[in-house]
Amino acid sequence: MSIAEDFDPTVYLNGEWGPLSEARIPVLDRGFIFGDGIYEVVPLYAQANGERLPFRLTQHLARLERSLGKISIANPFDDAGWRALIARAIEANAGAGDALVYIQVTRGVAKRRGHAFPAGITPTVFVMVGQLVFPSVETRARGAAAVTAEDKRWLHCDIKSTSLLGNVLMAQHAAEHDALETIQLRDGLLTEGSSSNVWVVKGGTLLGAPRGPRILEGIRYSLIEELAKEAGIVFEERDITEAELRAADELMISSATKEVMPITTLDGQRVGDGRPGAVYAALYGAYQRAKTREFGL
Ligand code: PMP
């Protein structure tokens, strides 16, 4: 699989497999009309034998189950069912290099438009293998730019919902400022990026905003916590003020596609000495090693 624009993966939609370009949903799908759905993005890492295997799939499937539960959509598959579906999606899209699996479940197709849940509808299930486009080697070596903005999203950010308008506007804000990410603040406290968790280093200690409804707990959140522990880096999960964010020695973001990525300018100001730092280097190295040992269906 190359990153050609005409890449047309074989996707799963409600029991059928076919090309993405031909997949269709009815306009009264609750996902289309209300953003009433949940999604997951699971990295697939190419192994030495050429096989692509999902990373931390157990945790991704657990978060999918939690998100569905929080909006009262019955999980359409059990654990084994999801694993079989994902294995088949990988098989149907064989190719070289890392990739990702995108999973979306919506409440289903209603008979008419009305906000409250319609009775007796079947969730829509969509699974697609996509390209995992990492930041360039140069960006990683230099570190990326981020800008800040007020977090105006709702207070259920822990649900990995397809209602992403707040995140979309923040991503556009970053793009308009030639930045990789917008880092959000709510009531003077750091929450998260538009599509990432944010990490602050001060005096060698790694700080992360508290897990809870103000942020999406990334699958990399507890991974980074574990990797920090292994590397002997002290980690504190606590409120982080805007002043602490701006006075950081190092800043990083994490997500399935960014892994862990250094941020070296914030609102045009240098972060620390303006270069990716030692804590970042330790975590990135540990992350790359974890990729070779923690995977599987
Ligand atoms: N927060 C938000 C708002 C996100 O969209 C993401 C990426 N899905 C994350 C955090 C990081 O989550 P993960 O590590 O599971 O990719």
Side-chain angles (χ1 to χ4, degrees), residues 272-293:
D273 68 2
R275 285 176 304 181
V279 173
Y280 159 72
L283 291 174
Y284 184 66
Y287 194 115
Q288 298 312 305
R289 288 190 294 279
K291 279 163 66 168
T292 65
R293 65 166 196 250

PDB file of all heavy atoms in Angstrom, residues 272-293:
ATOM      1  N   GLY A 272      11.449  25.630  26.481  1.00  0.00           N
ATOM      2  CA  GLY A 272      12.757  25.275  27.049  1.00  0.00           C
ATOM      3  C   GLY A 272      13.869  25.862  26.188  1.00  0.00           C
ATOM      4  O   GLY A 272      13.832  27.049  25.860  1.00  0.00           O
ATOM      5  N   ASP A 273      14.804  25.005  25.769  1.00  0.00           N
ATOM      6  CA  ASP A 273      15.902  25.530  24.934  1.00  0.00           C
ATOM      7  C   ASP A 273      15.560  25.454  23.440  1.00  0.00           C
ATOM      8  O   ASP A 273      16.415  25.654  22.597  1.00  0.00           O
ATOM      9  CB  ASP A 273      17.224  24.803  25.253  1.00  0.00           C
ATOM     10  CG  ASP A 273      17.214  23.344  24.826  1.00  0.00           C
ATOM     11  OD1 ASP A 273      16.210  22.881  24.239  1.00  0.00           O
ATOM     12  OD2 ASP A 273      18.218  22.640  25.073  1.00  0.00           O
ATOM     13  N   GLY A 274      14.300  25.104  23.161  1.00  0.00           N
ATOM     14  CA  GLY A 274      13.844  25.130  21.771  1.00  0.00           C
ATOM     15  C   GLY A 274      14.175  23.861  21.000  1.00  0.00           C
ATOM     16  O   GLY A 274      13.947  23.803  19.783  1.00  0.00           O
ATOM     17  N   ARG A 275      14.680  22.856  21.702  1.00  0.00           N
ATOM     18  CA  ARG A 275      14.999  21.589  21.028  1.00  0.00           C
ATOM     19  C   ARG A 275      14.314  20.427  21.745  1.00  0.00           C
ATOM     20  O   ARG A 275      14.051  20.525  22.957  1.00  0.00           O
ATOM     21  CB  ARG A 275      16.518  21.365  21.023  1.00  0.00           C
ATOM     22  CG  ARG A 275      17.234  22.245  20.016  1.00  0.00           C
ATOM     23  CD  ARG A 275      18.709  22.075  20.113  1.00  0.00           C
ATOM     24  NE  ARG A 275      19.163  22.350  21.485  1.00  0.00           N
ATOM     25  CZ  ARG A 275      20.424  22.306  21.880  1.00  0.00           C
ATOM     26  NH1 ARG A 275      21.363  21.992  21.032  1.00  0.00           N
ATOM     27  NH2 ARG A 275      20.747  22.560  23.142  1.00  0.00           N
ATOM     28  N   PRO A 276      14.068  19.333  21.020  1.00  0.00           N
ATOM     29  CA  PRO A 276      13.510  18.159  21.706  1.00  0.00           C
ATOM     30  C   PRO A 276      14.410  17.770  22.873  1.00  0.00           C
ATOM     31  O   PRO A 276      15.640  17.794  22.741  1.00  0.00           O
ATOM     32  CB  PRO A 276      13.507  17.085  20.610  1.00  0.00           C
ATOM     33  CG  PRO A 276      13.481  17.863  19.324  1.00  0.00           C
ATOM     34  CD  PRO A 276      14.283  19.102  19.590  1.00  0.00           C
ATOM     35  N   GLY A 277      13.817  17.456  24.017  1.00  0.00           N
ATOM     36  CA  GLY A 277      14.602  17.272  25.243  1.00  0.00           C
ATOM     37  C   GLY A 277      14.916  15.825  25.583  1.00  0.00           C
ATOM     38  O   GLY A 277      14.553  14.885  24.853  1.00  0.00           O
ATOM     39  N   ALA A 278      15.579  15.672  26.726  1.00  0.00           N
ATOM     40  CA  ALA A 278      16.059  14.353  27.159  1.00  0.00           C
ATOM     41  C   ALA A 278      14.905  13.427  27.554  1.00  0.00           C
ATOM     42  O   ALA A 278      14.962  12.219  27.300  1.00  0.00           O
ATOM     43  CB  ALA A 278      17.006  14.530  28.339  1.00  0.00           C
ATOM     44  N   VAL A 279      13.866  13.993  28.168  1.00  0.00           N
ATOM     45  CA  VAL A 279      12.734  13.147  28.577  1.00  0.00           C
ATOM     46  C   VAL A 279      12.009  12.647  27.322  1.00  0.00           C
ATOM     47  O   VAL A 279      11.659  11.470  27.208  1.00  0.00           O
ATOM     48  CB  VAL A 279      11.784  13.896  29.545  1.00  0.00           C
ATOM     49  CG1 VAL A 279      10.524  13.083  29.826  1.00  0.00           C
ATOM     50  CG2 VAL A 279      12.523  14.222  30.844  1.00  0.00           C
ATOM     51  N   TYR A 280      11.836  13.546  26.356  1.00  0.00           N
ATOM     52  CA  TYR A 280      11.252  13.122  25.080  1.00  0.00           C
ATOM     53  C   TYR A 280      12.084  11.989  24.467  1.00  0.00           C
ATOM     54  O   TYR A 280      11.541  10.955  24.063  1.00  0.00           O
ATOM     55  CB  TYR A 280      11.145  14.290  24.085  1.00  0.00           C
ATOM     56  CG  TYR A 280      11.050  13.786  22.667  1.00  0.00           C
ATOM     57  CD1 TYR A 280       9.873  13.182  22.226  1.00  0.00           C
ATOM     58  CD2 TYR A 280      12.142  13.835  21.796  1.00  0.00           C
ATOM     59  CE1 TYR A 280       9.792  12.646  20.949  1.00  0.00           C
ATOM     60  CE2 TYR A 280      12.071  13.307  20.530  1.00  0.00           C
ATOM     61  CZ  TYR A 280      10.888  12.711  20.109  1.00  0.00           C
ATOM     62  OH  TYR A 280      10.809  12.161  18.857  1.00  0.00           O
ATOM     63  N   ALA A 281      13.390  12.175  24.402  1.00  0.00           N
ATOM     64  CA  ALA A 281      14.265  11.174  23.759  1.00  0.00           C
ATOM     65  C   ALA A 281      14.117   9.823  24.454  1.00  0.00           C
ATOM     66  O   ALA A 281      14.012   8.780  23.775  1.00  0.00           O
ATOM     67  CB  ALA A 281      15.711  11.650  23.774  1.00  0.00           C
ATOM     68  N   ALA A 282      14.055   9.839  25.774  1.00  0.00           N
ATOM     69  CA  ALA A 282      13.923   8.583  26.520  1.00  0.00           C
ATOM     70  C   ALA A 282      12.573   7.926  26.221  1.00  0.00           C
ATOM     71  O   ALA A 282      12.498   6.709  25.999  1.00  0.00           O
ATOM     72  CB  ALA A 282      14.064   8.861  28.020  1.00  0.00           C
ATOM     73  N   LEU A 283      11.511   8.740  26.198  1.00  0.00           N
ATOM     74  CA  LEU A 283      10.169   8.174  25.974  1.00  0.00           C
ATOM     75  C   LEU A 283      10.004   7.688  24.534  1.00  0.00           C
ATOM     76  O   LEU A 283       9.403   6.641  24.287  1.00  0.00           O
ATOM     77  CB  LEU A 283       9.082   9.198  26.325  1.00  0.00           C
ATOM     78  CG  LEU A 283       8.954   9.523  27.809  1.00  0.00           C
ATOM     79  CD1 LEU A 283       7.945  10.652  28.028  1.00  0.00           C
ATOM     80  CD2 LEU A 283       8.548   8.282  28.619  1.00  0.00           C
ATOM     81  N   TYR A 284      10.535   8.435  23.591  1.00  0.00           N
ATOM     82  CA  TYR A 284      10.408   8.027  22.187  1.00  0.00           C
ATOM     83  C   TYR A 284      11.159   6.713  21.947  1.00  0.00           C
ATOM     84  O   TYR A 284      10.649   5.800  21.289  1.00  0.00           O
ATOM     85  CB  TYR A 284      10.903   9.131  21.250  1.00  0.00           C
ATOM     86  CG  TYR A 284      10.687   8.782  19.799  1.00  0.00           C
ATOM     87  CD1 TYR A 284       9.398   8.666  19.283  1.00  0.00           C
ATOM     88  CD2 TYR A 284      11.765   8.543  18.940  1.00  0.00           C
ATOM     89  CE1 TYR A 284       9.182   8.323  17.951  1.00  0.00           C
ATOM     90  CE2 TYR A 284      11.563   8.200  17.616  1.00  0.00           C
ATOM     91  CZ  TYR A 284      10.263   8.095  17.129  1.00  0.00           C
ATOM     92  OH  TYR A 284      10.055   7.741  15.819  1.00  0.00           O
ATOM     93  N   GLY A 285      12.341   6.620  22.510  1.00  0.00           N
ATOM     94  CA  GLY A 285      13.124   5.376  22.386  1.00  0.00           C
ATOM     95  C   GLY A 285      12.385   4.196  23.000  1.00  0.00           C
ATOM     96  O   GLY A 285      12.279   3.119  22.390  1.00  0.00           O
ATOM     97  N   ALA A 286      11.833   4.421  24.194  1.00  0.00           N
ATOM     98  CA  ALA A 286      11.108   3.348  24.887  1.00  0.00           C
ATOM     99  C   ALA A 286       9.850   2.972  24.094  1.00  0.00           C
ATOM    100  O   ALA A 286       9.482   1.796  24.019  1.00  0.00           O
ATOM    101  CB  ALA A 286      10.725   3.818  26.293  1.00  0.00           C
ATOM    102  N   TYR A 287       9.213   3.971  23.476  1.00  0.00           N
ATOM    103  CA  TYR A 287       8.017   3.721  22.660  1.00  0.00           C
ATOM    104  C   TYR A 287       8.381   2.825  21.469  1.00  0.00           C
ATOM    105  O   TYR A 287       7.680   1.846  21.170  1.00  0.00           O
ATOM    106  CB  TYR A 287       7.447   5.065  22.170  1.00  0.00           C
ATOM    107  CG  TYR A 287       6.049   4.993  21.604  1.00  0.00           C
ATOM    108  CD1 TYR A 287       4.985   5.638  22.228  1.00  0.00           C
ATOM    109  CD2 TYR A 287       5.771   4.296  20.433  1.00  0.00           C
ATOM    110  CE1 TYR A 287       3.701   5.578  21.719  1.00  0.00           C
ATOM    111  CE2 TYR A 287       4.498   4.232  19.909  1.00  0.00           C
ATOM    112  CZ  TYR A 287       3.464   4.878  20.562  1.00  0.00           C
ATOM    113  OH  TYR A 287       2.191   4.825  20.050  1.00  0.00           O
ATOM    114  N   GLN A 288       9.475   3.139  20.816  1.00  0.00           N
ATOM    115  CA  GLN A 288       9.877   2.337  19.641  1.00  0.00           C
ATOM    116  C   GLN A 288      10.176   0.902  20.053  1.00  0.00           C
ATOM    117  O   GLN A 288       9.854  -0.041  19.329  1.00  0.00           O
ATOM    118  CB  GLN A 288      11.077   2.968  18.925  1.00  0.00           C
ATOM    119  CG  GLN A 288      10.802   4.362  18.370  1.00  0.00           C
ATOM    120  CD  GLN A 288       9.499   4.431  17.579  1.00  0.00           C
ATOM    121  OE1 GLN A 288       9.281   3.677  16.632  1.00  0.00           O
ATOM    122  NE2 GLN A 288       8.590   5.313  17.984  1.00  0.00           N
ATOM    123  N   ARG A 289      10.746   0.730  21.228  1.00  0.00           N
ATOM    124  CA  ARG A 289      11.022  -0.643  21.704  1.00  0.00           C
ATOM    125  C   ARG A 289       9.714  -1.354  22.048  1.00  0.00           C
ATOM    126  O   ARG A 289       9.546  -2.534  21.741  1.00  0.00           O
ATOM    127  CB  ARG A 289      11.974  -0.613  22.909  1.00  0.00           C
ATOM    128  CG  ARG A 289      13.406  -0.234  22.513  1.00  0.00           C
ATOM    129  CD  ARG A 289      14.390  -0.447  23.645  1.00  0.00           C
ATOM    130  NE  ARG A 289      14.157   0.438  24.788  1.00  0.00           N
ATOM    131  CZ  ARG A 289      14.567   1.715  24.860  1.00  0.00           C
ATOM    132  NH1 ARG A 289      15.257   2.244  23.860  1.00  0.00           N
ATOM    133  NH2 ARG A 289      14.322   2.431  25.927  1.00  0.00           N
ATOM    134  N   ALA A 290       8.767  -0.622  22.637  1.00  0.00           N
ATOM    135  CA  ALA A 290       7.474  -1.240  22.997  1.00  0.00           C
ATOM    136  C   ALA A 290       6.754  -1.732  21.737  1.00  0.00           C
ATOM    137  O   ALA A 290       6.055  -2.753  21.779  1.00  0.00           O
ATOM    138  CB  ALA A 290       6.609  -0.232  23.746  1.00  0.00           C
ATOM    139  N   LYS A 291       6.944  -1.027  20.621  1.00  0.00           N
ATOM    140  CA  LYS A 291       6.290  -1.418  19.370  1.00  0.00           C
ATOM    141  C   LYS A 291       6.708  -2.801  18.894  1.00  0.00           C
ATOM    142  O   LYS A 291       5.988  -3.434  18.139  1.00  0.00           O
ATOM    143  CB  LYS A 291       6.619  -0.400  18.279  1.00  0.00           C
ATOM    144  CG  LYS A 291       5.785   0.824  18.349  1.00  0.00           C
ATOM    145  CD  LYS A 291       6.380   1.972  17.560  1.00  0.00           C
ATOM    146  CE  LYS A 291       6.419   1.752  16.073  1.00  0.00           C
ATOM    147  NZ  LYS A 291       6.745   3.022  15.357  1.00  0.00           N
ATOM    148  N   THR A 292       7.883  -3.209  19.293  1.00  0.00           N
ATOM    149  CA  THR A 292       8.358  -4.509  18.807  1.00  0.00           C
ATOM    150  C   THR A 292       7.944  -5.634  19.752  1.00  0.00           C
ATOM    151  O   THR A 292       8.119  -6.800  19.447  1.00  0.00           O
ATOM    152  CB  THR A 292       9.898  -4.531  18.657  1.00  0.00           C
ATOM    153  OG1 THR A 292      10.463  -4.376  19.963  1.00  0.00           O
ATOM    154  CG2 THR A 292      10.392  -3.444  17.746  1.00  0.00           C
ATOM    155  N   ARG A 293       7.415  -5.298  20.923  1.00  0.00           N
ATOM    156  CA  ARG A 293       7.087  -6.375  21.845  1.00  0.00           C
ATOM    157  C   ARG A 293       5.616  -6.455  22.222  1.00  0.00           C
ATOM    158  O   ARG A 293       5.160  -7.463  22.723  1.00  0.00           O
ATOM    159  CB  ARG A 293       7.956  -6.290  23.110  1.00  0.00           C
ATOM    160  CG  ARG A 293       7.722  -5.065  23.957  1.00  0.00           C
ATOM    161  CD  ARG A 293       8.321  -5.134  25.350  1.00  0.00           C
ATOM    162  NE  ARG A 293       7.695  -4.092  26.139  1.00  0.00           N
ATOM    163  CZ  ARG A 293       8.297  -2.993  26.557  1.00  0.00           C
ATOM    164  NH1 ARG A 293       9.558  -2.784  26.299  1.00  0.00           N
ATOM    165  NH2 ARG A 293       7.622  -2.093  27.251  1.00  0.00           N
TER     166      ARG A 293
END
